[in-house]
Amino acid sequence: MSDDYVIRAVRGDEWEKVKELRLVALRDPAAAVAFLETEEGALAQGDAYWQQRAAGAAEGRGARQFIAEAADGRWVGSVTVLIEAQGGADYFGEPIEQQQGHVVGVFVRPEQRGSGLVERLFDAGLEWAWSLEEPATERVRLFVHEDNPRAESFYRRYGFEASGLLIPLETGAKEREYVYVRPAGPGAGASGASGA
């Protein structure tokens, strides 16, 4: 049951747990289509990399990593939201026309899938993105590999819509961009589909 877990942002000193969960994610059978990073690449990184990664995802406006934590302290899922600032360039070198969030690193341990945890992680990530002011985050986007229909189905059910943008990968496959536009009005929640 997803209620048995605390959803919270990582703390800067939790780099060892950030690393451990990332390695678990990169060993998942879906990792080849879910992540651009490989387990070998992650293992090659030193402690300073993981310390910086955790600190960067714990404070400031640039990024926030949310985790699902069990009562025994074990982390079972994660979602990270990066903020792409207006006027800058995105990961693909394209200009950013309005401040937007970019969801990356979506992972829930296999035994927790279908429990509602990923919805709760997305709720926390999007609520954080919407809470940023001056400038406000106008939309949140993510990219999904064309051979990852399970993830694509979840993103659509949650409320993301395909933008039509396709990004070719070096492998010859493509990733599709999905976008969630900032809800209108005060008190608008992150998702009408949460818990679906």
Side-chain angles (χ1 to χ4, degrees), residues 11-50:
R11 293 185 289 269
D13 63 352
E14 295 179 311
W15 65 271
E16 290 172 298
K17 289 183 111 173
V18 168
K19 176 181 178 180
E20 186 267 335
L21 188 62
R22 182 63 172 178
L23 291 173
V24 169
L26 293 172
R27 291 181 190 119
D28 189 272
V33 295
F35 304 113
L36 297 177
E37 184 179 31
T38 64
E39 181 184 6
E40 294 75 25
L43 285 169
Q45 300 295 340
D47 290 351
Y49 168 84
W50 295 102

mmCIF file of all heavy atoms in Angstrom, residues 11-50:
data_model
loop_
_atom_site.group_PDB
_atom_site.id
_atom_site.type_symbol
_atom_site.label_atom_id
_atom_site.label_comp_id
_atom_site.label_asym_id
_atom_site.label_seq_id
_atom_site.Cartn_x
_atom_site.Cartn_y
_atom_site.Cartn_z
ATOM 1 N N ARG A 11 17.826 14.718 1.217
ATOM 2 C CA ARG A 11 18.678 15.660 1.939
ATOM 3 C C ARG A 11 20.088 15.567 1.359
ATOM 4 O O ARG A 11 20.501 14.517 0.857
ATOM 5 C CB ARG A 11 18.673 15.336 3.439
ATOM 6 C CG ARG A 11 17.303 15.577 4.089
ATOM 7 C CD ARG A 11 17.329 15.378 5.599
ATOM 8 N NE ARG A 11 17.469 13.976 5.972
ATOM 9 C CZ ARG A 11 16.447 13.143 6.198
ATOM 10 N NH1 ARG A 11 15.198 13.574 6.083
ATOM 11 N NH2 ARG A 11 16.667 11.895 6.545
ATOM 12 N N GLY A 12 20.812 16.647 1.455
ATOM 13 C CA GLY A 12 22.139 16.718 0.848
ATOM 14 C C GLY A 12 23.133 15.697 1.356
ATOM 15 O O GLY A 12 24.062 15.322 0.642
ATOM 16 N N ASP A 13 22.949 15.212 2.577
ATOM 17 C CA ASP A 13 23.899 14.252 3.143
ATOM 18 C C ASP A 13 23.533 12.794 2.838
ATOM 19 O O ASP A 13 24.200 11.871 3.315
ATOM 20 C CB ASP A 13 24.039 14.458 4.651
ATOM 21 C CG ASP A 13 22.742 14.202 5.411
ATOM 22 O OD1 ASP A 13 21.676 14.016 4.769
ATOM 23 O OD2 ASP A 13 22.782 14.196 6.658
ATOM 24 N N GLU A 14 22.509 12.580 2.037
ATOM 25 C CA GLU A 14 22.046 11.208 1.757
ATOM 26 C C GLU A 14 22.616 10.654 0.453
ATOM 27 O O GLU A 14 22.005 9.813 -0.191
ATOM 28 C CB GLU A 14 20.509 11.187 1.725
ATOM 29 C CG GLU A 14 19.906 11.504 3.077
ATOM 30 C CD GLU A 14 18.386 11.501 3.058
ATOM 31 O OE1 GLU A 14 17.788 12.145 2.169
ATOM 32 O OE2 GLU A 14 17.785 10.848 3.944
ATOM 33 N N TRP A 15 23.814 11.052 0.106
ATOM 34 C CA TRP A 15 24.387 10.671 -1.185
ATOM 35 C C TRP A 15 24.563 9.163 -1.341
ATOM 36 O O TRP A 15 24.408 8.632 -2.446
ATOM 37 C CB TRP A 15 25.706 11.405 -1.418
ATOM 38 C CG TRP A 15 26.811 11.044 -0.465
ATOM 39 C CD1 TRP A 15 27.089 11.626 0.737
ATOM 40 C CD2 TRP A 15 27.783 10.018 -0.654
ATOM 41 N NE1 TRP A 15 28.171 11.013 1.318
ATOM 42 C CE2 TRP A 15 28.627 10.036 0.483
ATOM 43 C CE3 TRP A 15 28.049 9.096 -1.675
ATOM 44 C CZ2 TRP A 15 29.699 9.161 0.626
ATOM 45 C CZ3 TRP A 15 29.114 8.224 -1.538
ATOM 46 C CH2 TRP A 15 29.931 8.260 -0.388
ATOM 47 N N GLU A 16 24.856 8.462 -0.263
ATOM 48 C CA GLU A 16 25.043 7.013 -0.389
ATOM 49 C C GLU A 16 23.727 6.319 -0.764
ATOM 50 O O GLU A 16 23.721 5.380 -1.565
ATOM 51 C CB GLU A 16 25.615 6.428 0.907
ATOM 52 C CG GLU A 16 27.061 6.855 1.123
ATOM 53 C CD GLU A 16 27.589 6.454 2.487
ATOM 54 O OE1 GLU A 16 27.040 6.925 3.514
ATOM 55 O OE2 GLU A 16 28.558 5.670 2.503
ATOM 56 N N LYS A 17 22.614 6.791 -0.228
ATOM 57 C CA LYS A 17 21.309 6.212 -0.579
ATOM 58 C C LYS A 17 20.885 6.643 -1.987
ATOM 59 O O LYS A 17 20.252 5.866 -2.702
ATOM 60 C CB LYS A 17 20.259 6.603 0.463
ATOM 61 C CG LYS A 17 20.473 5.910 1.799
ATOM 62 C CD LYS A 17 19.398 6.262 2.786
ATOM 63 C CE LYS A 17 18.558 5.028 3.031
ATOM 64 N NZ LYS A 17 17.573 5.214 4.115
ATOM 65 N N VAL A 18 21.229 7.869 -2.387
ATOM 66 C CA VAL A 18 20.977 8.317 -3.759
ATOM 67 C C VAL A 18 21.702 7.381 -4.728
ATOM 68 O O VAL A 18 21.125 6.911 -5.710
ATOM 69 C CB VAL A 18 21.423 9.791 -3.957
ATOM 70 C CG1 VAL A 18 21.451 10.166 -5.424
ATOM 71 C CG2 VAL A 18 20.516 10.734 -3.169
ATOM 72 N N LYS A 19 22.955 7.104 -4.440
ATOM 73 C CA LYS A 19 23.759 6.218 -5.289
ATOM 74 C C LYS A 19 23.173 4.803 -5.314
ATOM 75 O O LYS A 19 23.014 4.210 -6.387
ATOM 76 C CB LYS A 19 25.203 6.181 -4.771
ATOM 77 C CG LYS A 19 26.098 5.225 -5.533
ATOM 78 C CD LYS A 19 27.510 5.216 -4.950
ATOM 79 C CE LYS A 19 28.397 4.219 -5.671
ATOM 80 N NZ LYS A 19 29.772 4.203 -5.094
ATOM 81 N N GLU A 20 22.834 4.274 -4.143
ATOM 82 C CA GLU A 20 22.333 2.899 -4.067
ATOM 83 C C GLU A 20 21.048 2.731 -4.873
ATOM 84 O O GLU A 20 20.914 1.774 -5.645
ATOM 85 C CB GLU A 20 22.091 2.527 -2.594
ATOM 86 C CG GLU A 20 21.710 1.069 -2.371
ATOM 87 C CD GLU A 20 20.205 0.819 -2.349
ATOM 88 O OE1 GLU A 20 19.444 1.747 -2.040
ATOM 89 O OE2 GLU A 20 19.803 -0.320 -2.666
ATOM 90 N N LEU A 21 20.101 3.666 -4.745
ATOM 91 C CA LEU A 21 18.846 3.543 -5.482
ATOM 92 C C LEU A 21 19.075 3.710 -6.978
ATOM 93 O O LEU A 21 18.450 3.008 -7.787
ATOM 94 C CB LEU A 21 17.810 4.553 -4.982
ATOM 95 C CG LEU A 21 16.406 4.363 -5.565
ATOM 96 C CD1 LEU A 21 15.815 3.004 -5.177
ATOM 97 C CD2 LEU A 21 15.479 5.493 -5.115
ATOM 98 N N ARG A 22 19.980 4.601 -7.358
ATOM 99 C CA ARG A 22 20.273 4.779 -8.784
ATOM 100 C C ARG A 22 20.862 3.496 -9.374
ATOM 101 O O ARG A 22 20.495 3.093 -10.479
ATOM 102 C CB ARG A 22 21.233 5.954 -8.981
ATOM 103 C CG ARG A 22 21.551 6.251 -10.433
ATOM 104 C CD ARG A 22 20.323 6.669 -11.193
ATOM 105 N NE ARG A 22 20.682 7.118 -12.530
ATOM 106 C CZ ARG A 22 19.808 7.504 -13.437
ATOM 107 N NH1 ARG A 22 18.520 7.512 -13.158
ATOM 108 N NH2 ARG A 22 20.194 7.887 -14.619
ATOM 109 N N LEU A 23 21.741 2.844 -8.663
ATOM 110 C CA LEU A 23 22.321 1.592 -9.163
ATOM 111 C C LEU A 23 21.254 0.505 -9.281
ATOM 112 O O LEU A 23 21.252 -0.266 -10.243
ATOM 113 C CB LEU A 23 23.479 1.144 -8.277
ATOM 114 C CG LEU A 23 24.729 2.033 -8.362
ATOM 115 C CD1 LEU A 23 25.751 1.608 -7.319
ATOM 116 C CD2 LEU A 23 25.329 2.019 -9.759
ATOM 117 N N VAL A 24 20.328 0.432 -8.329
ATOM 118 C CA VAL A 24 19.218 -0.521 -8.423
ATOM 119 C C VAL A 24 18.406 -0.236 -9.684
ATOM 120 O O VAL A 24 18.052 -1.138 -10.442
ATOM 121 C CB VAL A 24 18.326 -0.464 -7.161
ATOM 122 C CG1 VAL A 24 17.038 -1.251 -7.365
ATOM 123 C CG2 VAL A 24 19.081 -0.987 -5.952
ATOM 124 N N ALA A 25 18.124 1.043 -9.932
ATOM 125 C CA ALA A 25 17.348 1.430 -11.114
ATOM 126 C C ALA A 25 18.065 1.045 -12.401
ATOM 127 O O ALA A 25 17.439 0.551 -13.346
ATOM 128 C CB ALA A 25 17.077 2.931 -11.085
ATOM 129 N N LEU A 26 19.364 1.240 -12.438
ATOM 130 C CA LEU A 26 20.129 0.952 -13.655
ATOM 131 C C LEU A 26 20.308 -0.545 -13.896
ATOM 132 O O LEU A 26 20.663 -0.951 -14.998
ATOM 133 C CB LEU A 26 21.489 1.654 -13.593
ATOM 134 C CG LEU A 26 21.419 3.181 -13.640
ATOM 135 C CD1 LEU A 26 22.789 3.791 -13.380
ATOM 136 C CD2 LEU A 26 20.842 3.673 -14.964
ATOM 137 N N ARG A 27 20.024 -1.370 -12.883
ATOM 138 C CA ARG A 27 20.062 -2.829 -13.055
ATOM 139 C C ARG A 27 18.705 -3.389 -13.470
ATOM 140 O O ARG A 27 18.580 -4.564 -13.791
ATOM 141 C CB ARG A 27 20.493 -3.490 -11.740
ATOM 142 C CG ARG A 27 21.923 -3.225 -11.383
ATOM 143 C CD ARG A 27 22.325 -3.921 -10.079
ATOM 144 N NE ARG A 27 23.624 -3.444 -9.663
ATOM 145 C CZ ARG A 27 23.877 -2.817 -8.510
ATOM 146 N NH1 ARG A 27 22.913 -2.625 -7.634
ATOM 147 N NH2 ARG A 27 25.087 -2.406 -8.235
ATOM 148 N N ASP A 28 17.670 -2.565 -13.449
ATOM 149 C CA ASP A 28 16.323 -2.997 -13.808
ATOM 150 C C ASP A 28 16.300 -3.408 -15.286
ATOM 151 O O ASP A 28 16.972 -2.795 -16.107
ATOM 152 C CB ASP A 28 15.346 -1.838 -13.570
ATOM 153 C CG ASP A 28 13.913 -2.271 -13.713
ATOM 154 O OD1 ASP A 28 13.398 -2.231 -14.847
ATOM 155 O OD2 ASP A 28 13.303 -2.653 -12.704
ATOM 156 N N PRO A 29 15.519 -4.447 -15.634
ATOM 157 C CA PRO A 29 15.444 -4.871 -17.037
ATOM 158 C C PRO A 29 14.990 -3.765 -17.999
ATOM 159 O O PRO A 29 15.350 -3.784 -19.170
ATOM 160 C CB PRO A 29 14.429 -6.015 -17.008
ATOM 161 C CG PRO A 29 14.494 -6.544 -15.615
ATOM 162 C CD PRO A 29 14.795 -5.356 -14.747
ATOM 163 N N ALA A 30 14.230 -2.788 -17.519
ATOM 164 C CA ALA A 30 13.760 -1.698 -18.374
ATOM 165 C C ALA A 30 14.768 -0.553 -18.482
ATOM 166 O O ALA A 30 14.533 0.416 -19.208
ATOM 167 C CB ALA A 30 12.430 -1.153 -17.856
ATOM 168 N N ALA A 31 15.904 -0.646 -17.793
ATOM 169 C CA ALA A 31 16.863 0.464 -17.748
ATOM 170 C C ALA A 31 17.345 0.895 -19.129
ATOM 171 O O ALA A 31 17.556 2.083 -19.368
ATOM 172 C CB ALA A 31 18.052 0.100 -16.862
ATOM 173 N N ALA A 32 17.505 -0.046 -20.037
ATOM 174 C CA ALA A 32 18.042 0.292 -21.365
ATOM 175 C C ALA A 32 17.150 1.273 -22.110
ATOM 176 O O ALA A 32 17.645 2.069 -22.919
ATOM 177 C CB ALA A 32 18.246 -0.974 -22.194
ATOM 178 N N VAL A 33 15.842 1.230 -21.877
ATOM 179 C CA VAL A 33 14.942 2.169 -22.546
ATOM 180 C C VAL A 33 14.463 3.277 -21.605
ATOM 181 O O VAL A 33 13.824 4.226 -22.050
ATOM 182 C CB VAL A 33 13.716 1.468 -23.185
ATOM 183 C CG1 VAL A 33 14.152 0.536 -24.301
ATOM 184 C CG2 VAL A 33 12.873 0.753 -22.158
ATOM 185 N N ALA A 34 14.781 3.175 -20.325
ATOM 186 C CA ALA A 34 14.294 4.167 -19.363
ATOM 187 C C ALA A 34 15.334 5.237 -19.028
ATOM 188 O O ALA A 34 14.974 6.349 -18.671
ATOM 189 C CB ALA A 34 13.837 3.472 -18.079
ATOM 190 N N PHE A 35 16.615 4.901 -19.122
ATOM 191 C CA PHE A 35 17.665 5.830 -18.689
ATOM 192 C C PHE A 35 18.736 5.980 -19.760
ATOM 193 O O PHE A 35 19.040 5.023 -20.481
ATOM 194 C CB PHE A 35 18.328 5.314 -17.405
ATOM 195 C CG PHE A 35 17.347 5.062 -16.289
ATOM 196 C CD1 PHE A 35 17.109 3.773 -15.829
ATOM 197 C CD2 PHE A 35 16.655 6.104 -15.705
ATOM 198 C CE1 PHE A 35 16.203 3.529 -14.814
ATOM 199 C CE2 PHE A 35 15.739 5.872 -14.680
ATOM 200 C CZ PHE A 35 15.516 4.591 -14.236
ATOM 201 N N LEU A 36 19.327 7.162 -19.835
ATOM 202 C CA LEU A 36 20.441 7.387 -20.758
ATOM 203 C C LEU A 36 21.755 6.915 -20.150
ATOM 204 O O LEU A 36 22.698 6.624 -20.861
ATOM 205 C CB LEU A 36 20.528 8.871 -21.127
ATOM 206 C CG LEU A 36 19.315 9.440 -21.865
ATOM 207 C CD1 LEU A 36 19.496 10.935 -22.110
ATOM 208 C CD2 LEU A 36 19.088 8.705 -23.176
ATOM 209 N N GLU A 37 21.822 6.827 -18.825
ATOM 210 C CA GLU A 37 23.015 6.411 -18.107
ATOM 211 C C GLU A 37 23.055 4.886 -17.996
ATOM 212 O O GLU A 37 22.011 4.233 -17.968
ATOM 213 C CB GLU A 37 22.974 7.031 -16.707
ATOM 214 C CG GLU A 37 24.189 6.782 -15.859
ATOM 215 C CD GLU A 37 24.077 7.463 -14.489
ATOM 216 O OE1 GLU A 37 22.956 7.616 -13.965
ATOM 217 O OE2 GLU A 37 25.117 7.815 -13.945
ATOM 218 N N THR A 38 24.248 4.320 -17.912
ATOM 219 C CA THR A 38 24.397 2.880 -17.709
ATOM 220 C C THR A 38 24.931 2.603 -16.309
ATOM 221 O O THR A 38 25.509 3.493 -15.660
ATOM 222 C CB THR A 38 25.396 2.272 -18.719
ATOM 223 O OG1 THR A 38 26.693 2.843 -18.473
ATOM 224 C CG2 THR A 38 24.965 2.534 -20.158
ATOM 225 N N GLU A 39 24.757 1.373 -15.861
ATOM 226 C CA GLU A 39 25.293 0.990 -14.556
ATOM 227 C C GLU A 39 26.814 1.154 -14.540
ATOM 228 O O GLU A 39 27.384 1.643 -13.560
ATOM 229 C CB GLU A 39 24.921 -0.462 -14.240
ATOM 230 C CG GLU A 39 25.435 -0.911 -12.889
ATOM 231 C CD GLU A 39 25.164 -2.382 -12.600
ATOM 232 O OE1 GLU A 39 24.673 -3.102 -13.486
ATOM 233 O OE2 GLU A 39 25.470 -2.804 -11.457
ATOM 234 N N GLU A 40 27.473 0.790 -15.621
ATOM 235 C CA GLU A 40 28.927 0.903 -15.687
ATOM 236 C C GLU A 40 29.366 2.356 -15.528
ATOM 237 O O GLU A 40 30.335 2.655 -14.816
ATOM 238 C CB GLU A 40 29.451 0.331 -17.015
ATOM 239 C CG GLU A 40 29.250 -1.150 -17.177
ATOM 240 C CD GLU A 40 27.800 -1.557 -17.499
ATOM 241 O OE1 GLU A 40 27.029 -0.732 -18.057
ATOM 242 O OE2 GLU A 40 27.439 -2.702 -17.180
ATOM 243 N N GLY A 41 28.652 3.263 -16.185
ATOM 244 C CA GLY A 41 28.983 4.677 -16.068
ATOM 245 C C GLY A 41 28.777 5.191 -14.659
ATOM 246 O O GLY A 41 29.588 5.970 -14.131
ATOM 247 N N ALA A 42 27.699 4.773 -14.014
ATOM 248 C CA ALA A 42 27.417 5.208 -12.648
ATOM 249 C C ALA A 42 28.454 4.657 -11.672
ATOM 250 O O ALA A 42 28.893 5.368 -10.759
ATOM 251 C CB ALA A 42 26.012 4.771 -12.235
ATOM 252 N N LEU A 43 28.848 3.399 -11.857
ATOM 253 C CA LEU A 43 29.843 2.793 -10.971
ATOM 254 C C LEU A 43 31.209 3.457 -11.101
ATOM 255 O O LEU A 43 32.007 3.434 -10.163
ATOM 256 C CB LEU A 43 29.966 1.297 -11.256
ATOM 257 C CG LEU A 43 28.821 0.434 -10.735
ATOM 258 C CD1 LEU A 43 28.907 -0.978 -11.311
ATOM 259 C CD2 LEU A 43 28.824 0.397 -9.212
ATOM 260 N N ALA A 44 31.471 4.060 -12.257
ATOM 261 C CA ALA A 44 32.765 4.717 -12.488
ATOM 262 C C ALA A 44 32.875 6.060 -11.778
ATOM 263 O O ALA A 44 33.971 6.617 -11.667
ATOM 264 C CB ALA A 44 32.986 4.901 -13.993
ATOM 265 N N GLN A 45 31.757 6.576 -11.267
ATOM 266 C CA GLN A 45 31.763 7.879 -10.601
ATOM 267 C C GLN A 45 32.257 7.749 -9.163
ATOM 268 O O GLN A 45 31.896 6.814 -8.464
ATOM 269 C CB GLN A 45 30.344 8.472 -10.594
ATOM 270 C CG GLN A 45 29.755 8.690 -11.957
ATOM 271 C CD GLN A 45 30.490 9.742 -12.773
ATOM 272 O OE1 GLN A 45 31.225 10.581 -12.248
ATOM 273 N NE2 GLN A 45 30.311 9.681 -14.084
ATOM 274 N N GLY A 46 33.058 8.702 -8.741
ATOM 275 C CA GLY A 46 33.583 8.715 -7.375
ATOM 276 C C GLY A 46 32.576 9.296 -6.388
ATOM 277 O O GLY A 46 31.512 9.810 -6.763
ATOM 278 N N ASP A 47 32.920 9.232 -5.111
ATOM 279 C CA ASP A 47 32.040 9.727 -4.061
ATOM 280 C C ASP A 47 31.684 11.201 -4.235
ATOM 281 O O ASP A 47 30.558 11.612 -3.964
ATOM 282 C CB ASP A 47 32.681 9.520 -2.687
ATOM 283 C CG ASP A 47 32.743 8.048 -2.286
ATOM 284 O OD1 ASP A 47 32.146 7.201 -2.988
ATOM 285 O OD2 ASP A 47 33.392 7.750 -1.266
ATOM 286 N N ALA A 48 32.635 12.007 -4.693
ATOM 287 C CA ALA A 48 32.386 13.446 -4.857
ATOM 288 C C ALA A 48 31.237 13.695 -5.837
ATOM 289 O O ALA A 48 30.427 14.604 -5.639
ATOM 290 C CB ALA A 48 33.647 14.166 -5.325
ATOM 291 N N TYR A 49 31.155 12.883 -6.884
ATOM 292 C CA TYR A 49 30.060 13.014 -7.857
ATOM 293 C C TYR A 49 28.715 12.793 -7.173
ATOM 294 O O TYR A 49 27.783 13.573 -7.359
ATOM 295 C CB TYR A 49 30.259 11.992 -8.984
ATOM 296 C CG TYR A 49 29.054 11.836 -9.885
ATOM 297 C CD1 TYR A 49 28.843 12.699 -10.944
ATOM 298 C CD2 TYR A 49 28.114 10.823 -9.656
ATOM 299 C CE1 TYR A 49 27.730 12.560 -11.774
ATOM 300 C CE2 TYR A 49 27.007 10.676 -10.472
ATOM 301 C CZ TYR A 49 26.826 11.545 -11.530
ATOM 302 O OH TYR A 49 25.723 11.404 -12.335
ATOM 303 N N TRP A 50 28.626 11.724 -6.381
ATOM 304 C CA TRP A 50 27.363 11.398 -5.710
ATOM 305 C C TRP A 50 27.016 12.417 -4.628
ATOM 306 O O TRP A 50 25.844 12.758 -4.437
ATOM 307 C CB TRP A 50 27.421 9.978 -5.157
ATOM 308 C CG TRP A 50 27.524 8.985 -6.268
ATOM 309 C CD1 TRP A 50 28.650 8.323 -6.678
ATOM 310 C CD2 TRP A 50 26.480 8.594 -7.160
ATOM 311 N NE1 TRP A 50 28.353 7.534 -7.768
ATOM 312 C CE2 TRP A 50 27.041 7.675 -8.081
ATOM 313 C CE3 TRP A 50 25.131 8.914 -7.270
ATOM 314 C CZ2 TRP A 50 26.293 7.084 -9.089
ATOM 315 C CZ3 TRP A 50 24.382 8.326 -8.276
ATOM 316 C CH2 TRP A 50 24.959 7.419 -9.180
#
